[in-house]
PDB file of all heavy atoms in Angstrom:
ATOM      1  N   GLN A   1       7.510  -4.719  -2.401  1.00 78.00           N
ATOM      2  CA  GLN A   1       8.034  -5.963  -1.796  1.00 78.00           C
ATOM      3  C   GLN A   1       8.814  -5.645  -0.550  1.00 78.00           C
ATOM      4  O   GLN A   1       8.626  -6.314   0.491  1.00 78.00           O
ATOM      5  CB  GLN A   1       8.994  -6.604  -2.832  1.00 78.00           C
ATOM      6  CG  GLN A   1       8.322  -7.372  -3.937  1.00 78.00           C
ATOM      7  CD  GLN A   1       9.311  -8.099  -4.819  1.00 78.00           C
ATOM      8  OE1 GLN A   1      10.389  -8.444  -4.369  1.00 78.00           O
ATOM      9  NE2 GLN A   1       8.952  -8.326  -6.067  1.00 78.00           N
ATOM     10  N   ALA A   2       9.705  -4.697  -0.601  1.00 81.00           N
ATOM     11  CA  ALA A   2      10.525  -4.343   0.559  1.00 81.00           C
ATOM     12  C   ALA A   2       9.649  -3.884   1.725  1.00 81.00           C
ATOM     13  O   ALA A   2       9.883  -4.248   2.872  1.00 81.00           O
ATOM     14  CB  ALA A   2      11.520  -3.260   0.188  1.00 81.00           C
ATOM     15  N   GLN A   3       8.608  -3.110   1.432  1.00 79.00           N
ATOM     16  CA  GLN A   3       7.698  -2.623   2.469  1.00 79.00           C
ATOM     17  C   GLN A   3       6.933  -3.776   3.136  1.00 79.00           C
ATOM     18  O   GLN A   3       6.799  -3.832   4.364  1.00 79.00           O
ATOM     19  CB  GLN A   3       6.727  -1.606   1.900  1.00 79.00           C
ATOM     20  CG  GLN A   3       7.375  -0.315   1.436  1.00 79.00           C
ATOM     21  CD  GLN A   3       6.393   0.599   0.736  1.00 79.00           C
ATOM     22  OE1 GLN A   3       5.208   0.255   0.560  1.00 79.00           O
ATOM     23  NE2 GLN A   3       6.864   1.771   0.326  1.00 79.00           N
ATOM     24  N   ILE A   4       6.472  -4.725   2.321  1.00 78.00           N
ATOM     25  CA  ILE A   4       5.696  -5.847   2.836  1.00 78.00           C
ATOM     26  C   ILE A   4       6.584  -6.718   3.709  1.00 78.00           C
ATOM     27  O   ILE A   4       6.168  -7.156   4.821  1.00 78.00           O
ATOM     28  CB  ILE A   4       5.086  -6.668   1.681  1.00 78.00           C
ATOM     29  CG1 ILE A   4       4.025  -5.838   0.912  1.00 78.00           C
ATOM     30  CG2 ILE A   4       4.495  -7.978   2.209  1.00 78.00           C
ATOM     31  CD1 ILE A   4       2.803  -5.472   1.741  1.00 78.00           C
ATOM     32  N   LEU A   5       7.791  -7.001   3.285  1.00 83.00           N
ATOM     33  CA  LEU A   5       8.706  -7.826   4.044  1.00 83.00           C
ATOM     34  C   LEU A   5       9.083  -7.180   5.366  1.00 83.00           C
ATOM     35  O   LEU A   5       9.150  -7.819   6.398  1.00 83.00           O
ATOM     36  CB  LEU A   5       9.957  -8.174   3.244  1.00 83.00           C
ATOM     37  CG  LEU A   5       9.736  -9.063   2.014  1.00 83.00           C
ATOM     38  CD1 LEU A   5      11.003  -9.147   1.195  1.00 83.00           C
ATOM     39  CD2 LEU A   5       9.293 -10.468   2.460  1.00 83.00           C
ATOM     40  N   GLU A   6       9.313  -5.890   5.324  1.00 84.00           N
ATOM     41  CA  GLU A   6       9.643  -5.158   6.566  1.00 84.00           C
ATOM     42  C   GLU A   6       8.457  -5.161   7.510  1.00 84.00           C
ATOM     43  O   GLU A   6       8.617  -5.292   8.735  1.00 84.00           O
ATOM     44  CB  GLU A   6      10.041  -3.717   6.225  1.00 84.00           C
ATOM     45  CG  GLU A   6      10.482  -2.897   7.437  1.00 84.00           C
ATOM     46  CD  GLU A   6      11.682  -3.467   8.128  1.00 84.00           C
ATOM     47  OE1 GLU A   6      12.492  -4.192   7.487  1.00 84.00           O
ATOM     48  OE2 GLU A   6      11.870  -3.223   9.345  1.00 84.00           O
ATOM     49  N   LEU A   7       7.240  -5.051   6.949  1.00 80.00           N
ATOM     50  CA  LEU A   7       6.039  -5.102   7.764  1.00 80.00           C
ATOM     51  C   LEU A   7       5.885  -6.456   8.454  1.00 80.00           C
ATOM     52  O   LEU A   7       5.590  -6.525   9.669  1.00 80.00           O
ATOM     53  CB  LEU A   7       4.820  -4.822   6.884  1.00 80.00           C
ATOM     54  CG  LEU A   7       3.445  -5.031   7.468  1.00 80.00           C
ATOM     55  CD1 LEU A   7       3.254  -4.107   8.672  1.00 80.00           C
ATOM     56  CD2 LEU A   7       2.358  -4.813   6.431  1.00 80.00           C
ATOM     57  N   ILE A   8       6.129  -7.541   7.708  1.00 81.00           N
ATOM     58  CA  ILE A   8       6.035  -8.872   8.291  1.00 81.00           C
ATOM     59  C   ILE A   8       7.045  -9.029   9.419  1.00 81.00           C
ATOM     60  O   ILE A   8       6.736  -9.571  10.478  1.00 81.00           O
ATOM     61  CB  ILE A   8       6.225  -9.943   7.230  1.00 81.00           C
ATOM     62  CG1 ILE A   8       5.049  -9.947   6.213  1.00 81.00           C
ATOM     63  CG2 ILE A   8       6.374 -11.337   7.840  1.00 81.00           C
ATOM     64  CD1 ILE A   8       5.257 -10.882   5.054  1.00 81.00           C
ATOM     65  N   ARG A   9       8.261  -8.548   9.177  1.00 85.00           N
ATOM     66  CA  ARG A   9       9.303  -8.655  10.202  1.00 85.00           C
ATOM     67  C   ARG A   9       8.951  -7.849  11.468  1.00 85.00           C
ATOM     68  O   ARG A   9       9.108  -8.363  12.578  1.00 85.00           O
ATOM     69  CB  ARG A   9      10.651  -8.180   9.637  1.00 85.00           C
ATOM     70  CG  ARG A   9      11.718  -8.223  10.677  1.00 85.00           C
ATOM     71  CD  ARG A   9      13.129  -8.202  10.137  1.00 85.00           C
ATOM     72  NE  ARG A   9      13.329  -7.453   8.935  1.00 85.00           N
ATOM     73  CZ  ARG A   9      14.318  -7.648   8.092  1.00 85.00           C
ATOM     74  NH1 ARG A   9      15.198  -8.593   8.341  1.00 85.00           N
ATOM     75  NH2 ARG A   9      14.490  -6.900   7.028  1.00 85.00           N
ATOM     76  N   GLU A  10       8.438  -6.664  11.281  1.00 82.00           N
ATOM     77  CA  GLU A  10       8.095  -5.823  12.439  1.00 82.00           C
ATOM     78  C   GLU A  10       6.960  -6.419  13.251  1.00 82.00           C
ATOM     79  O   GLU A  10       7.009  -6.492  14.485  1.00 82.00           O
ATOM     80  CB  GLU A  10       7.695  -4.423  11.957  1.00 82.00           C
ATOM     81  CG  GLU A  10       8.874  -3.588  11.436  1.00 82.00           C
ATOM     82  CD  GLU A  10       8.405  -2.247  10.900  1.00 82.00           C
ATOM     83  OE1 GLU A  10       7.168  -2.028  10.865  1.00 82.00           O
ATOM     84  OE2 GLU A  10       9.264  -1.431  10.518  1.00 82.00           O
ATOM     85  N   THR A  11       5.928  -6.893  12.539  1.00 79.00           N
ATOM     86  CA  THR A  11       4.774  -7.479  13.286  1.00 79.00           C
ATOM     87  C   THR A  11       5.177  -8.779  13.955  1.00 79.00           C
ATOM     88  O   THR A  11       4.678  -9.074  15.077  1.00 79.00           O
ATOM     89  CB  THR A  11       3.632  -7.745  12.320  1.00 79.00           C
ATOM     90  OG1 THR A  11       4.058  -8.478  11.199  1.00 79.00           O
ATOM     91  CG2 THR A  11       3.018  -6.436  11.830  1.00 79.00           C
ATOM     92  N   GLN A  12       6.090  -9.529  13.358  1.00 83.00           N
ATOM     93  CA  GLN A  12       6.567 -10.753  13.996  1.00 83.00           C
ATOM     94  C   GLN A  12       7.308 -10.402  15.293  1.00 83.00           C
ATOM     95  O   GLN A  12       7.127 -11.062  16.343  1.00 83.00           O
ATOM     96  CB  GLN A  12       7.481 -11.521  13.034  1.00 83.00           C
ATOM     97  CG  GLN A  12       7.992 -12.848  13.614  1.00 83.00           C
ATOM     98  CD  GLN A  12       9.087 -13.452  12.801  1.00 83.00           C
ATOM     99  OE1 GLN A  12       9.644 -12.823  11.915  1.00 83.00           O
ATOM    100  NE2 GLN A  12       9.443 -14.679  13.119  1.00 83.00           N
ATOM    101  N   GLU A  13       8.136  -9.389  15.252  1.00 83.00           N
ATOM    102  CA  GLU A  13       8.885  -8.978  16.431  1.00 83.00           C
ATOM    103  C   GLU A  13       7.959  -8.451  17.532  1.00 83.00           C
ATOM    104  O   GLU A  13       8.184  -8.685  18.721  1.00 83.00           O
ATOM    105  CB  GLU A  13       9.927  -7.907  16.051  1.00 83.00           C
ATOM    106  CG  GLU A  13      11.045  -8.458  15.202  1.00 83.00           C
ATOM    107  CD  GLU A  13      11.982  -7.363  14.697  1.00 83.00           C
ATOM    108  OE1 GLU A  13      11.659  -6.159  14.937  1.00 83.00           O
ATOM    109  OE2 GLU A  13      13.018  -7.689  14.088  1.00 83.00           O
ATOM    110  N   GLU A  14       6.904  -7.748  17.130  1.00 81.00           N
ATOM    111  CA  GLU A  14       5.955  -7.181  18.089  1.00 81.00           C
ATOM    112  C   GLU A  14       5.163  -8.260  18.817  1.00 81.00           C
ATOM    113  O   GLU A  14       4.939  -8.193  20.003  1.00 81.00           O
ATOM    114  CB  GLU A  14       5.003  -6.229  17.392  1.00 81.00           C
ATOM    115  CG  GLU A  14       5.625  -4.924  16.934  1.00 81.00           C
ATOM    116  CD  GLU A  14       4.660  -4.095  16.140  1.00 81.00           C
ATOM    117  OE1 GLU A  14       3.441  -4.483  16.042  1.00 81.00           O
ATOM    118  OE2 GLU A  14       5.057  -3.050  15.594  1.00 81.00           O
ATOM    119  N   THR A  15       4.753  -9.290  18.054  1.00 81.00           N
ATOM    120  CA  THR A  15       3.875 -10.312  18.632  1.00 81.00           C
ATOM    121  C   THR A  15       4.613 -11.546  19.124  1.00 81.00           C
ATOM    122  O   THR A  15       4.057 -12.350  19.863  1.00 81.00           O
ATOM    123  CB  THR A  15       2.827 -10.763  17.594  1.00 81.00           C
ATOM    124  OG1 THR A  15       3.502 -11.358  16.451  1.00 81.00           O
ATOM    125  CG2 THR A  15       2.003  -9.579  17.093  1.00 81.00           C
ATOM    126  N   GLY A  16       5.893 -11.704  18.705  1.00 85.00           N
ATOM    127  CA  GLY A  16       6.642 -12.906  19.088  1.00 85.00           C
ATOM    128  C   GLY A  16       6.246 -14.151  18.333  1.00 85.00           C
ATOM    129  O   GLY A  16       6.551 -15.278  18.761  1.00 85.00           O
ATOM    130  N   ALA A  17       5.544 -13.980  17.211  1.00 87.00           N
ATOM    131  CA  ALA A  17       5.085 -15.132  16.451  1.00 87.00           C
ATOM    132  C   ALA A  17       6.259 -15.817  15.713  1.00 87.00           C
ATOM    133  O   ALA A  17       7.227 -15.172  15.357  1.00 87.00           O
ATOM    134  CB  ALA A  17       4.034 -14.688  15.433  1.00 87.00           C
ATOM    135  N   ALA A  18       6.096 -17.107  15.468  1.00 91.00           N
ATOM    136  CA  ALA A  18       7.027 -17.826  14.589  1.00 91.00           C
ATOM    137  C   ALA A  18       6.540 -17.610  13.150  1.00 91.00           C
ATOM    138  O   ALA A  18       5.365 -17.328  12.899  1.00 91.00           O
ATOM    139  CB  ALA A  18       7.032 -19.320  14.916  1.00 91.00           C
ATOM    140  N   LEU A  19       7.497 -17.693  12.216  1.00 91.00           N
ATOM    141  CA  LEU A  19       7.171 -17.434  10.801  1.00 91.00           C
ATOM    142  C   LEU A  19       7.744 -18.545   9.928  1.00 91.00           C
ATOM    143  O   LEU A  19       8.883 -18.920  10.073  1.00 91.00           O
ATOM    144  CB  LEU A  19       7.755 -16.068  10.392  1.00 91.00           C
ATOM    145  CG  LEU A  19       7.648 -15.729   8.887  1.00 91.00           C
ATOM    146  CD1 LEU A  19       6.188 -15.567   8.474  1.00 91.00           C
ATOM    147  CD2 LEU A  19       8.451 -14.441   8.591  1.00 91.00           C
ATOM    148  N   MET A  20       6.889 -19.020   9.051  1.00 93.00           N
ATOM    149  CA  MET A  20       7.325 -19.987   7.993  1.00 93.00           C
ATOM    150  C   MET A  20       7.187 -19.218   6.684  1.00 93.00           C
ATOM    151  O   MET A  20       6.074 -18.949   6.235  1.00 93.00           O
ATOM    152  CB  MET A  20       6.469 -21.239   8.019  1.00 93.00           C
ATOM    153  CG  MET A  20       6.813 -22.242   6.922  1.00 93.00           C
ATOM    154  SD  MET A  20       5.806 -23.747   7.099  1.00 93.00           S
ATOM    155  CE  MET A  20       6.224 -24.615   5.577  1.00 93.00           C
ATOM    156  N   LEU A  21       8.289 -18.900   6.074  1.00 91.00           N
ATOM    157  CA  LEU A  21       8.309 -18.061   4.858  1.00 91.00           C
ATOM    158  C   LEU A  21       8.638 -18.908   3.641  1.00 91.00           C
ATOM    159  O   LEU A  21       9.750 -19.433   3.514  1.00 91.00           O
ATOM    160  CB  LEU A  21       9.341 -16.933   5.014  1.00 91.00           C
ATOM    161  CG  LEU A  21       9.481 -15.980   3.844  1.00 91.00           C
ATOM    162  CD1 LEU A  21       8.197 -15.237   3.571  1.00 91.00           C
ATOM    163  CD2 LEU A  21      10.613 -15.000   4.083  1.00 91.00           C
ATOM    164  N   ILE A  22       7.671 -19.032   2.748  1.00 91.00           N
ATOM    165  CA  ILE A  22       7.828 -19.799   1.520  1.00 91.00           C
ATOM    166  C   ILE A  22       8.175 -18.822   0.421  1.00 91.00           C
ATOM    167  O   ILE A  22       7.425 -17.844   0.173  1.00 91.00           O
ATOM    168  CB  ILE A  22       6.545 -20.577   1.197  1.00 91.00           C
ATOM    169  CG1 ILE A  22       6.235 -21.577   2.294  1.00 91.00           C
ATOM    170  CG2 ILE A  22       6.633 -21.269  -0.162  1.00 91.00           C
ATOM    171  CD1 ILE A  22       4.893 -22.231   2.156  1.00 91.00           C
ATOM    172  N   THR A  23       9.300 -19.025  -0.274  1.00 85.00           N
ATOM    173  CA  THR A  23       9.717 -18.094  -1.294  1.00 85.00           C
ATOM    174  C   THR A  23      10.669 -18.769  -2.250  1.00 85.00           C
ATOM    175  O   THR A  23      11.269 -19.790  -1.958  1.00 85.00           O
ATOM    176  CB  THR A  23      10.379 -16.847  -0.651  1.00 85.00           C
ATOM    177  OG1 THR A  23      10.764 -15.949  -1.674  1.00 85.00           O
ATOM    178  CG2 THR A  23      11.636 -17.251   0.133  1.00 85.00           C
ATOM    179  N   HIS A  24      10.807 -18.169  -3.411  1.00 81.00           N
ATOM    180  CA  HIS A  24      11.860 -18.610  -4.381  1.00 81.00           C
ATOM    181  C   HIS A  24      12.971 -17.595  -4.422  1.00 81.00           C
ATOM    182  O   HIS A  24      13.961 -17.812  -5.157  1.00 81.00           O
ATOM    183  CB  HIS A  24      11.245 -18.768  -5.784  1.00 81.00           C
ATOM    184  CG  HIS A  24      10.741 -17.464  -6.361  1.00 81.00           C
ATOM    185  ND1 HIS A  24       9.489 -16.954  -6.058  1.00 81.00           N
ATOM    186  CD2 HIS A  24      11.340 -16.573  -7.151  1.00 81.00           C
ATOM    187  CE1 HIS A  24       9.353 -15.796  -6.674  1.00 81.00           C
ATOM    188  NE2 HIS A  24      10.453 -15.544  -7.348  1.00 81.00           N
ATOM    189  N   ASP A  25      12.833 -16.500  -3.675  1.00 79.00           N
ATOM    190  CA  ASP A  25      13.800 -15.418  -3.732  1.00 79.00           C
ATOM    191  C   ASP A  25      14.839 -15.591  -2.605  1.00 79.00           C
ATOM    192  O   ASP A  25      14.558 -15.414  -1.418  1.00 79.00           O
ATOM    193  CB  ASP A  25      13.074 -14.070  -3.519  1.00 79.00           C
ATOM    194  CG  ASP A  25      13.942 -12.859  -3.813  1.00 79.00           C
ATOM    195  OD1 ASP A  25      15.163 -12.949  -3.524  1.00 79.00           O
ATOM    196  OD2 ASP A  25      13.423 -11.838  -4.294  1.00 79.00           O
ATOM    197  N   LEU A  26      16.079 -15.946  -2.953  1.00 83.00           N
ATOM    198  CA  LEU A  26      17.106 -16.201  -1.974  1.00 83.00           C
ATOM    199  C   LEU A  26      17.590 -14.932  -1.303  1.00 83.00           C
ATOM    200  O   LEU A  26      18.124 -14.990  -0.199  1.00 83.00           O
ATOM    201  CB  LEU A  26      18.264 -16.957  -2.620  1.00 83.00           C
ATOM    202  CG  LEU A  26      17.929 -18.352  -3.163  1.00 83.00           C
ATOM    203  CD1 LEU A  26      19.139 -18.986  -3.805  1.00 83.00           C
ATOM    204  CD2 LEU A  26      17.388 -19.251  -2.057  1.00 83.00           C
ATOM    205  N   GLY A  27      17.398 -13.798  -1.914  1.00 80.00           N
ATOM    206  CA  GLY A  27      17.704 -12.524  -1.291  1.00 80.00           C
ATOM    207  C   GLY A  27      16.779 -12.298  -0.093  1.00 80.00           C
ATOM    208  O   GLY A  27      17.221 -11.833   0.967  1.00 80.00           O
ATOM    209  N   VAL A  28      15.519 -12.627  -0.269  1.00 81.00           N
ATOM    210  CA  VAL A  28      14.556 -12.541   0.842  1.00 81.00           C
ATOM    211  C   VAL A  28      14.953 -13.486   1.975  1.00 81.00           C
ATOM    212  O   VAL A  28      14.899 -13.144   3.182  1.00 81.00           O
ATOM    213  CB  VAL A  28      13.121 -12.853   0.328  1.00 81.00           C
ATOM    214  CG1 VAL A  28      12.156 -12.964   1.500  1.00 81.00           C
ATOM    215  CG2 VAL A  28      12.669 -11.778  -0.632  1.00 81.00           C
ATOM    216  N   VAL A  29      15.388 -14.671   1.612  1.00 85.00           N
ATOM    217  CA  VAL A  29      15.804 -15.663   2.599  1.00 85.00           C
ATOM    218  C   VAL A  29      16.973 -15.112   3.429  1.00 85.00           C
ATOM    219  O   VAL A  29      16.993 -15.233   4.641  1.00 85.00           O
ATOM    220  CB  VAL A  29      16.204 -16.988   1.907  1.00 85.00           C
ATOM    221  CG1 VAL A  29      16.885 -17.909   2.890  1.00 85.00           C
ATOM    222  CG2 VAL A  29      14.990 -17.654   1.317  1.00 85.00           C
ATOM    223  N   ALA A  30      17.920 -14.493   2.766  1.00 83.00           N
ATOM    224  CA  ALA A  30      19.096 -13.966   3.443  1.00 83.00           C
ATOM    225  C   ALA A  30      18.732 -12.928   4.476  1.00 83.00           C
ATOM    226  O   ALA A  30      19.361 -12.814   5.527  1.00 83.00           O
ATOM    227  CB  ALA A  30      20.071 -13.389   2.424  1.00 83.00           C
ATOM    228  N   GLU A  31      17.726 -12.132   4.170  1.00 81.00           N
ATOM    229  CA  GLU A  31      17.362 -11.020   5.033  1.00 81.00           C
ATOM    230  C   GLU A  31      16.388 -11.388   6.156  1.00 81.00           C
ATOM    231  O   GLU A  31      16.338 -10.731   7.190  1.00 81.00           O
ATOM    232  CB  GLU A  31      16.732  -9.895   4.212  1.00 81.00           C
ATOM    233  CG  GLU A  31      17.696  -9.235   3.212  1.00 81.00           C
ATOM    234  CD  GLU A  31      17.001  -8.201   2.375  1.00 81.00           C
ATOM    235  OE1 GLU A  31      15.857  -7.844   2.669  1.00 81.00           O
ATOM    236  OE2 GLU A  31      17.620  -7.694   1.410  1.00 81.00           O
ATOM    237  N   MET A  32      15.606 -12.468   5.918  1.00 85.00           N
ATOM    238  CA  MET A  32      14.455 -12.698   6.783  1.00 85.00           C
ATOM    239  C   MET A  32      14.558 -13.888   7.697  1.00 85.00           C
ATOM    240  O   MET A  32      13.944 -13.925   8.764  1.00 85.00           O
ATOM    241  CB  MET A  32      13.221 -12.865   5.934  1.00 85.00           C
ATOM    242  CG  MET A  32      12.767 -11.594   5.175  1.00 85.00           C
ATOM    243  SD  MET A  32      11.983 -10.389   6.193  1.00 85.00           S
ATOM    244  CE  MET A  32      10.452 -11.247   6.665  1.00 85.00           C
ATOM    245  N   VAL A  33      15.290 -14.962   7.349  1.00 89.00           N
ATOM    246  CA  VAL A  33      15.102 -16.241   8.031  1.00 89.00           C
ATOM    247  C   VAL A  33      16.300 -16.586   8.906  1.00 89.00           C
ATOM    248  O   VAL A  33      17.423 -16.130   8.723  1.00 89.00           O
ATOM    249  CB  VAL A  33      14.795 -17.385   7.027  1.00 89.00           C
ATOM    250  CG1 VAL A  33      13.746 -16.982   6.022  1.00 89.00           C
ATOM    251  CG2 VAL A  33      16.060 -17.840   6.329  1.00 89.00           C
TER     252      VAL A  33
END
């Protein structure tokens, strides 16, 4: 999980894409959005 989330964050930063993250995990929300 941690690897996948870090990967999404890195690729978003590289490409400048916007991200809509759907989740039930509020810990993920705190780190990502």
Side-chain angles (χ1 to χ4, degrees):
Q1 283 184 26
Q3 293 174 358
I4 294 296
L5 292 172
E6 184 61 26
L7 171 61
I8 293 174
R9 177 160 35 201
E10 289 176 356
T11 52
Q12 183 192 10
E13 291 174 354
E14 289 175 6
T15 63
L19 173 65
M20 178 177 172
L21 179 62
I22 298 171
T23 181
H24 65 276
D25 191 327
L26 296 179
V28 171
V29 170
E31 296 178 8
M32 294 284 293
V33 314

